[in-house]
Amino acid sequence: MKIVREAPAEVVRFAAELQALYDGARLPGRQMLIRAADEQGITLNEKTLSDWFRGRSVPRSERAIKFLIEYLQPIAERRAQRPQRLWPWWRELLQAARAANRPQEAGRPRSQVLDRPVRPAGAALWPLVRDREAVEMGVHPAAFLPPSTSPLTLWMHGRREPQVPPTYVTREHDDALLGTLRAAVQRESGAVLVVGRSCTGKSRSAWEAVSRELGDWFLVDLRDRRQVQRLSDGDDPTGDCVLWLDNLDLTDNPPQLAEIALAALHQRGAVGRRVVVVTMWHQPETESPRQLRELARRAGAVVHVSEDWTGAELDEAARLAAADRVLAAALQQTGFSPSQILAGAKWALGLWRNAHERQTSAVLTAAIDLARLGIGVPGGAPLVRDLLKSCSACYLTRPPSIDDWFEPALRKATTPLEDAVWALAPPLPRATGYRLFDPLLDYARLQRHYEPLPAGVWTALAEADFGREEFSRLAQEARDRLLFPQASAFAQRAKQAESRLSMPPRRPPRVLPPPPRTPPSPPTPTLKVGLISPSRNRADALLEADDLEGLLHHAINSNDTYVRRRLAMLYERRGDRRALRELATFSRRGARHWAAMLAREEDPAELLRAVVCGDGFALRALRDWPVTGLDDTQRETILRFGLTPEGRPIRSVGRPQSS
C-alpha cells in the first residue's frame, strides 16, 4: 500500500511502522481486525484503517490504536519473527505524529503525551478531558487474574497485563461526589476533595465524575512538571478548565502544587471557569500545611471513599461481571475489596518477579510451590515459618550475600504493598500459618505448573511437624509423581504421627485428576459432526480448515472448553510444543494433548518431567500409551523404582535387579 508522502515526516513514519506491523501479521483481511475490535467495544472500519496505514490521518483514540498494536504484535512475532516493541515506544511515535499533524487539522485540540517537551506559550492548545484515558490520569489498570477474560487472552498478547480498568461499578459515594462537582461548576470556581486509602477506587470515582460532567473542558494535569511550568510561564488555558491533582499527598511538594491550584482558582472570570479535583489518602488536619487546609476549605464537604464495599455495591458488581470477566475474577477473591484485588495483584506479581529481590522472590516461590501441594491453602496444613525457611533456601541459585538473609526477605514479603494488600499475609491472631495473596497464587500456579519441586523441598516436608492425615496425603502426592522414596518417607512419618483432625481430611483441589486404571488409547484429532451449537460447529469448521488465528480468536472470546479442545488438536497436529504446553497449564484437554505429543517424541525426558510435576495425563501416558524412546523394560523399571525429583529414572536398565 502506498503511503501519502506529502504528509509530515512523523506521520509518514508512524503509518509505515503500522503498515509493516500489519503486513507482518499476514492476516487474511481487515475484517478480522474490525470484528475483534467490535467485541472490545471499539469501532473500526475499512476506511479508517486505510487512512491510518496510508498516513492520510492520525488515530485520535489511543485506546483503539493500543488495541490494534496489541492484537497484531503477537501474531507478527510468530509469523514474521518481527520483534515486539513496548507500548511507550508506540505512544511516543503516535504523539509525535499527532503533534506534526495538528496544524493541518481542524476541530478541537487533542491530547498530548505528558513527557514530551512543551511548546512555547500559546503555540498549542491544552488537551480536553475527553481526550484522556483513565489509566493516564492515575487510575490503576486491571491486573491479570487467571480466571479473567480467559488465560488465552493474556497468553496471546504476550503475557502483558491489561492496560484498561474494568467496568466501573457505581459506588454509594458517587452521588455526593457529583453533587460537590456540580456545585463547584455552578460557583465558577471551586475544588473537589476525594479522600480514601490506597486502592479504594477514589481516583477512578473522581475521573468517572469529571469525564461524565466536564468532558469538553480543558485539562491541566498538575502531576506533570511541564504542564506546571506552562502555568508558571503564563500559558493559562483560555476557557473552562479542570486542574487534576491525583494523590496530592504522595507528590514531591504538596504545598507548592496546592498553591498553584489555589492561584488558578483566582483566575476565574475572563479566562473561564476553574475547578480543582484533588484525591488524597487523608483529609488535611490542623497541623497540615496552610495551602492544603485552604484547598480543603475551598472544597467544602469532603467525599470519603470506603475501602469496604457495601452489599448493594457488590450486587451491582456481580451484575456487571456477567459481561466483564476481569471484574468477575476480582469478585471471586476474598479478603480484600475488588478495587484492592485488581490494583494490588500487579504489585504482588511485581514483587515476586523482581530480580533485585531474589531472596524475597525465593520466599514467595517456596510458598507458591508448597501451595501446589496443598500447604498454606484452605483445607491443607498451615504454612509455618520454619517450613517456609527450610524450603526458601532451595530456590536460591547462588548463596545470599549475608547469613541472616531469611528474616529481611520474609519481612519484605509480608510488608503491605502500598498499604493495601500483602503478597504473603502474616499469620492472623490465633493462627499459625502464612497465606499467599490469592491472585498471586493463581497466576503463579500457571507459571510453575511444569516446574518440578526441588529435592530439598521434599526433604523439608518429610521433616516437618505435620499430623498423620497430612503425611498420608503427601505420600499419595509423591506416589502420583512416581517419587517412591519420598512417598515411603511420608508413609513412615504418617505411622509415627498422631491424628490432628476430628473429621476425615479433605483433599485439596488438584489441577488434573488422578490417572484412571483403565488403559485408554492416545487422543487423536478426529472431528465430530457439529450438532451441538453454532459456536462449536464453527470450532469444528476452523479446525478442519486449519485456521489457527481464527480458532485462537474464537477460543478467547467463547472461553468454551470444547473450543479449547479443538485448539489443542490443532496445536498437536502442527507440532507446536510451546503453544500446546501453555494451553496445558489451564486446560484439561490441552494437558491431554500435551502428554500425547510428548509420548510421540523420541526423547521422553520432558514427559518424565511432567510426571514429577503432578500431571496426571503424563502419568497415564507413561503407564498405558506407547511412548517413543522407551521400551517395555525401561517403562517397567521406571514404574517400579520411580523417578528423582528432577524427573530422572532412579534405576537404569541393565543394572542387576533384586527380586
Side-chain angles (χ1 to χ4, degrees):
M1 180 180 293
K2 185 176 180 181
I3 296 176
V4 179
R5 293 297 172 185
E6 60 267 26
E10 294 85 350
V11 176
V12 171
R13 184 187 175 199
F14 177 81
E17 290 287 349
L18 198 60
Q19 179 67 52
L21 179 61
Y22 176 81
D23 292 341
R26 303 173 192 168
L27 296 182
R30 293 175 185 164
Q31 285 302 317
M32 178 180 292
L33 276 176
I34 295 171
R35 287 195 304 269
D38 183 65
E39 292 171 356
Q40 299 295 324
I42 299 171
T43 302
L44 295 177
N45 55 52
E46 288 277 358
K47 184 180 185 306
T48 298
L49 292 174
S50 177
D51 288 347
W52 290 355
F53 292 148
R54 298 187 64 185
R56 289 187 179 276
S57 66
V58 180
R60 296 190 179 199
S61 170
E62 191 167 290
R63 179 167 174 251
I65 196 64
K66 183 183 291 187
F67 159 79
L68 194 65
I69 290 166
E70 292 183 349
Y71 184 89
L72 292 174
Q73 281 204 142
I75 302 174
E77 185 181 37
R78 290 196 300 270
R79 291 187 168 182
Q81 302 299 311
R82 177 186 173 89
Q84 294 196 27
R85 299 185 186 274
L86 298 178
W87 168 244
W89 184 89
W90 281 102
R91 184 172 64 178
E92 182 177 350
L93 203 65
L94 172 63
Q95 296 295 346
R98 282 178 175 174
N101 208 40
R102 185 173 290 114
Q104 304 175 12
E105 296 175 346
R108 309 193 74 120
R110 300 176 186 170
S111 66
Q112 309 168 46
V113 67
L114 294 180
D115 54 358
R116 197 177 68 249
V118 175
R119 295 172 178 271
L125 292 176
W126 291 83
L128 299 180
V129 169
R130 60 179 170 81
D131 288 330
R132 290 294 192 209
E133 300 287 346
V135 173
E136 292 181 88
M137 305 314 297
V139 176
H140 296 298
F144 165 63
L145 303 174
S148 68
T149 61
S150 124
L152 275 170
T153 302
L154 194 74
W155 168 28
M156 192 188 79
H157 289 290
R159 298 189 179 281
R160 290 189 297 273
E161 293 149 4
Q163 293 301 305
V164 294
T167 305
Y168 182 68
V169 179
T170 302
R171 304 287 300 277
E172 289 194 348
H173 57 260
D174 284 347
D175 288 341
L177 177 55
L178 284 172
T180 303
L181 180 62
R182 289 167 180 167
V185 171
Q186 190 172 9
R187 295 194 305 269
E188 297 188 351
S189 175
V192 177
L193 179 58
V194 185
V195 174
R197 291 187 59 206
S198 177
C199 299
T200 56
K202 59 184 181 298
S203 298
R204 181 73 187 277
S205 293
W207 183 250
E208 289 289 330
V210 169
S211 301
R212 172 179 166 181
E213 298 290 316
L214 311 177
D216 291 329
W217 286 36
F218 289 110
L219 175 69
V220 177
D221 188 351
L222 294 179
R223 304 169 305 161
D224 178 20
R225 286 190 293 270
R226 292 178 175 85
Q227 295 197 26
V228 172
Q229 186 62 46
R230 286 186 69 174
L231 290 180
S232 301
D233 292 342
D235 184 14
D236 297 317
T238 302
D240 298 335
C241 173
V242 174
L243 294 99
W244 181 256
L245 253 178
D246 186 45
N247 281 323
L248 172 60
D249 43 0
L250 300 182
T251 59
D252 293 338
N253 195 334
Q256 181 184 20
L257 291 178
E259 186 69 42
I260 294 172
L262 290 169
L265 292 180
H266 293 300
Q267 305 249 343
R268 69 184 180 93
V271 295
R273 293 171 288 184
R274 296 288 184 265
V275 172
V276 178
V277 179
V278 184
T279 70
M280 300 179 65
W281 279 29
H282 305 288
Q283 182 177 350
E285 299 175 347
T286 306
E287 61 272 15
S288 300
R290 174 191 58 81
Q291 298 91 333
L292 271 63
R293 288 185 280 112
E294 175 63 17
L295 201 56
R297 187 189 67 79
R298 296 291 297 269
V302 176
V303 179
H304 292 273
V305 178
S306 172
E307 63 179 304
D308 297 321
W309 285 34
T310 66
E313 291 170 344
L314 292 174
D315 289 342
E316 173 68 4
R319 184 184 67 81
L320 296 174
D324 189 331
R325 296 178 188 147
V326 175
L327 183 58
L331 293 175
Q332 294 174 8
Q333 310 291 343
T334 59
F336 300 93
S337 70
S339 56
Q340 290 173 316
I341 291 284
L342 290 169
K346 182 177 182 179
W347 298 321
L349 292 172
L351 182 62
W352 177 49
R353 295 164 170 164
N354 191 343
H356 299 291
E357 299 285 351
R358 65 187 189 96
Q359 289 96 334
T360 302
S361 180
V363 171
L364 293 175
T365 305
I368 291 163
D369 277 359
L370 290 171
R372 291 166 60 194
L373 290 176
I375 298 170
V377 298
L383 176 57
V384 297
R385 180 186 175 282
D386 290 343
L387 177 61
L388 184 59
K389 181 178 181 179
S390 300
C391 295
S392 298
C394 303
Y395 295 90
L396 292 174
T397 56
R398 63 182 188 277
S401 57
I402 58 175
D403 293 334
D404 188 19
W405 61 271
F406 178 74
E407 290 299 335
L410 180 63
R411 186 162 52 250
K412 183 76 172 180
T414 55
T415 297
L417 300 168
E418 301 291 333
D419 197 32
V421 299
W422 289 262
L424 184 67
L428 296 172
R430 298 184 298 278
T432 58
Y434 292 85
R435 282 289 306 275
L436 279 164
F437 187 42
D438 284 345
L440 171 61
L441 175 58
D442 290 343
Y443 180 85
R445 272 176 168 161
L446 297 182
Q447 296 290 293
R448 295 192 57 78
H449 186 82
Y450 286 111
E451 293 295 330
L453 274 67
V457 171
W458 294 104
T459 301
L461 288 170
E463 297 172 352
D465 183 23
F466 292 138
R468 181 187 307 162
E469 293 79 10
E470 189 64 25
F471 277 125
S472 298
R473 190 185 62 78
L474 287 172
Q476 184 60 50
E477 290 278 358
R479 281 192 289 270
D480 289 344
R481 291 166 167 79
L482 299 187
L483 301 175
F484 296 146
Q486 288 77 14
S488 177
F490 291 137
Q492 185 65 29
R493 289 298 310 274
K495 292 180 181 179
Q496 300 169 353
E498 297 180 355
S499 175
R500 297 183 181 177
L501 295 179
S502 58
M503 60 184 65
R506 181 175 60 184
R507 186 181 180 87
R510 293 172 57 84
V511 176
L512 297 175
R517 298 302 180 184
T518 56
S521 58
T524 55
T526 58
L527 291 175
K528 298 181 180 180
V529 179
L531 299 177
I532 305 172
S533 70
S535 174
R536 297 187 173 189
N537 289 343
R538 182 185 175 196
D540 289 337
L542 291 170
L543 173 62
E544 187 173 15
D546 199 48
D547 185 350
L548 174 59
E549 297 303 331
L551 187 54
L552 178 59
H553 184 68
H554 184 38
I556 291 171
N557 289 286
S558 68
N559 203 24
D560 187 339
T561 56
Y562 182 91
V563 181
R564 285 205 295 265
R565 177 182 177 183
R566 270 24 192 179
L567 182 62
M569 288 181 175
L570 186 51
Y571 282 137
E572 186 180 7
R573 176 195 295 170
R574 291 187 169 204
D576 192 335
R577 297 180 81 258
R578 177 179 176 272
L580 188 55
R581 185 178 188 269
E582 295 285 352
L583 185 63
T585 62
F586 57 84
S587 167
R588 294 179 70 252
R589 280 296 174 181
R592 179 182 173 89
H593 286 271
W594 170 243
M597 176 181 286
L598 295 179
R600 291 196 304 270
E601 295 184 346
E602 294 184 0
D603 184 3
E606 189 70 24
L607 179 66
L608 300 182
R609 181 182 173 91
V611 171
V612 299
C613 291
D615 189 326
F617 288 110
L619 180 57
R620 185 192 305 184
L622 181 62
R623 284 175 169 168
D624 304 317
W625 299 349
V627 178
T628 305
L630 284 181
D631 57 33
D632 290 342
T633 302
Q634 292 171 319
R635 185 201 302 263
E636 291 174 2
T637 299
I638 293 173
L639 292 175
R640 179 180 180 186
F641 295 100
L643 301 168
T644 67
E646 296 79 19
R648 293 190 294 270
I650 290 180
R651 295 286 185 92
S652 60
V653 179
R655 184 177 298 178
Q657 309 292 338
S658 58
S659 58

